[in-house]
Amino acid sequence: MSRKKETYVYSSLMERFALEWKIYVLAFIFILIADSIGQIKIPVGKGMFILFPIFYAIILGVMCGPQVLKIVESKHVKAASKLVVVGICPFIAKLGITAGANIDTILSAGPALLFHGFGNLLGPILALPVAILLGMKREAVGACHSINREYHMALINNIYGSDSAEARGSLSIYIVGGMVGTIYFGLMASVIGSIGWFHPRALGLASGVGAGIMMASASASLCAIYPEMAETISAMASVGETMAGITGIYITMFLAIPMCDKLYTILEPKLGKFALRSAKDTLREKK
């Protein structure tokens, strides 16, 4: 029996608020708690990694979900997912303003900006085989085609559907990235920045991968290592973030997703036989 598709089309604002009011109340409470905690900066060598308020907000949201404390139901979770892009729009506008204010520095970076988005193609090449070996099926396509931020999830939902295995994989990496990605990017930037192999401007540009909190964590670590170039690093990180959204969406749409899908069809039959099996899968195979 097919499940009825939820479209979330409302006849009035009051009808929408009647269903979603708990989302707004909890979001406001999470904001107050996360903002009161603020950033937690932990020095690591010459650099640092940072825990941002969004990290605490995600933890609180997970704890209130239908699988833990059950304060919200599945219908609230699905309704809230439609509001992600709305919430991120002011941040995207801020990135554009920052990049525009440093246009001279940006133009001096040359053609590196145009090739910046091609980093998305490393996801299918490096991550997909690991995901298959860990036992993931079609979820691996959604999880491994990119770093899975807002516009990546929108593409996956549009191509495969919001209830698809690919969409579940994409959403999973989005949540994990928000929780673990900030720590990982801060540490990675500290290590690579301390080695001294790359120019601080290049490292700043590389920080803007399409995820705001990851960019902020990486650029903050780099600014701590190169305080004399903090303004340049921040500017390059902002333009890298902006360009990741402009060029990255087309690279993801026309190259990364088709590549990941094709690689899955090739690799899954070969690597799937060596994949880890969950207890549920093992029981199903015995039956």
Side-chain angles (χ1 to χ4, degrees):
M1 180 177 174
S2 60
R3 184 169 49 184
K4 183 179 179 181
K5 186 177 181 179
E6 299 175 81
T7 57
Y8 296 97
V9 176
Y10 306 96
S11 60
S12 66
L13 185 61
M14 289 303 298
E15 181 185 351
R16 178 168 193 162
F17 186 76
L19 174 65
E20 300 180 357
W21 67 269
K22 190 179 290 188
I23 299 173
Y24 307 133
V25 173
L26 287 173
F28 183 71
I29 294 174
F30 294 165
I31 289 172
L32 293 179
I33 295 174
D35 190 60
S36 64
I37 298 175
Q39 296 183 7
I40 298 179
K41 299 182 178 181
I42 304 175
V44 178
K46 295 181 179 179
M48 67 178 67
F49 73 84
I50 305 173
L51 296 179
F52 290 89
I54 192 173
F55 177 85
Y56 325 129
I58 291 176
I59 294 295
L60 291 170
V62 171
M63 293 298 297
C64 292
Q67 283 78 33
V68 188
L69 298 178
K70 301 181 179 179
I71 296 176
V72 297
E73 303 173 19
S74 295
K75 63 180 181 181
H76 298 127
V77 175
K78 291 186 177 182
S81 67
K82 314 297 180 182
L83 302 173
V84 172
V85 177
V86 176
I88 204 68
C89 279
F91 179 73
I92 294 174
K94 180 181 181 295
L95 289 177
I97 293 172
T98 302
N102 296 273
I103 191 65
D104 292 336
T105 302
I106 292 168
L107 293 176
S108 66
L113 290 177
L114 298 177
F115 295 99
H116 180 264
F118 283 94
N120 284 309
L121 301 180
L122 292 177
I125 296 172
L126 300 179
L128 184 63
V130 177
I132 294 174
L133 289 173
L134 290 176
M136 294 181 71
K137 296 299 184 181
R138 291 293 304 181
E139 291 87 354
V141 176
C144 301
H145 77 281
S146 69
I147 62 170
N148 280 289
R149 302 329 291 168
E150 287 74 20
Y151 63 90
H152 299 116
M153 288 198 301
L155 286 172
I156 289 293
N157 282 306
N158 185 61
I159 294 172
Y160 298 102
S162 59
D163 293 326
S164 64
E166 292 84 357
R168 291 195 298 271
S170 179
L171 180 61
S172 299
I173 299 301
Y174 177 81
I175 298 298
V176 172
M179 297 172 62
V180 181
T182 52
I183 300 174
Y184 174 77
F185 267 65
L187 287 173
M188 181 174 62
S190 296
V191 172
I192 296 178
S194 299
I195 293 175
W197 289 353
F198 304 99
H199 194 280
R201 292 176 62 192
L203 293 173
L205 179 62
S207 299
V209 294
I213 53 175
M214 298 178 189
M215 176 206 73
S217 180
S219 60
S221 294
L222 294 172
C223 289
I225 297 174
Y226 304 103
E228 70 283 358
M229 298 193 67
E231 185 175 346
T232 299
I233 291 172
S234 297
M236 295 305 297
S238 294
V239 71
E241 187 76 5
T242 303
M243 292 304 296
I246 295 173
T247 63
I249 191 169
Y250 296 106
I251 293 172
T252 302
M253 184 188 308
F254 295 115
L255 295 177
I257 294 178
M259 176 191 294
C260 197
D261 200 299
K262 183 64 176 179
L263 283 176
Y264 177 83
T265 61
I266 296 173
L267 296 177
E268 202 284 330
K270 299 177 181 178
L271 299 180
K273 63 183 73 174
F274 305 107
L276 297 177
R277 293 288 190 270
S278 65
K280 186 184 297 185
D281 293 334
T282 303
L283 182 61
R284 187 183 299 118
E285 289 176 359
K286 288 181 178 180
K287 291 181 178 180

